[in-house]
């Protein structure tokens, strides 16, 4: 059984609902996140995870600091699973939630394909 969760690497938004423009984009695409609140990633989360997927270099650096060196191999940027690896632009800075959503869809499909090829899904 797969367990998927989303966690923050900083304390800034802990306990808050999904950022309103992100929530709007998710709702437009039929994804209900009304019950989601920001939670902080822990070392225990990293120890238990099979995969740790991040969006950009900043998240990669912060996640490594939390995860510890023994978990580095598990941590990859989402678009590393695609044929065009790169960071996903942070919509907090770009304001372009549509581009981020498109990148997420491409990355998640590539990650799904990766898991299928490995017989894990």
């Amino acid at each position: 059984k797969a367990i998927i969760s989303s966690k923050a690497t900083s304390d800034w938004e802990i306990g808050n609902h999904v950022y309103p423009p992100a929530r709007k984009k998710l709702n437009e695409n039929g994804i209900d996140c009304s019950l989601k609140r920001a939670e902080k990633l822990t070392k225990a989360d990293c120890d238990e995870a099979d995969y740790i997927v991040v969006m950009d270099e900043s998240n990669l650096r912060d996640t490594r600091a939390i995860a510890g060196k023994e978990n580095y191999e598990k941590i990859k940027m989402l678009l590393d699973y695609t044929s065009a690896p790169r960071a996903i632009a942070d919509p907090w800075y770009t304001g372009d939630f549509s581009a981020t959503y498109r990148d997420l869809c491409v990355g998640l499909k590539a990650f799904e394909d990766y898991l299928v090829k490995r017989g894990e899904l």
Side-chain angles (χ1 to χ4, degrees):
K1 177 181 174 185
I3 298 173
I4 301 169
S5 63
S6 174
K7 304 275 180 122
T9 58
S10 71
D11 295 327
W12 298 345
E13 297 288 331
I14 301 305
N16 290 345
H17 290 285
V18 174
Y19 186 60
R23 185 172 55 237
K24 179 180 179 205
K25 179 52 63 183
L26 292 170
N27 286 337
E28 287 171 5
N29 288 280
I31 300 169
D32 178 19
C33 61
S34 61
L35 299 178
K36 177 70 178 151
R37 290 185 180 269
E39 298 176 30
K40 177 94 184 257
L41 180 69
T42 67
K43 171 79 165 82
D45 294 329
C46 297
D47 290 341
E48 293 172 16
D50 294 320
Y51 297 93
I52 303 168
V53 181
V54 302
M55 306 271 267
D56 59 29
E57 290 89 356
S58 175
N59 290 150
L60 183 63
R61 181 188 65 248
D62 294 345
T63 298
R64 283 180 173 163
I66 294 167
K69 288 183 181 182
E70 64 276 13
N71 289 309
Y72 278 16
E73 192 174 295
K74 300 178 186 181
I75 309 167
K76 296 198 182 338
M77 289 197 301
L78 180 60
L79 294 180
D80 285 350
Y81 293 97
T82 71
S83 60
R86 62 180 171 79
I88 293 175
D90 189 335
W92 180 264
Y93 300 105
T94 67
D96 192 346
F97 288 84
S98 293
T100 299
Y101 184 82
R102 286 190 302 274
D103 282 349
L104 286 169
C105 290
V106 168
L108 290 169
K109 176 63 175 136
F111 184 53
E112 177 186 39
D113 291 346
Y114 172 82
L115 293 175
V116 168
K117 282 182 187 175
R118 293 178 54 93
E120 297 180 37
L121 189 63

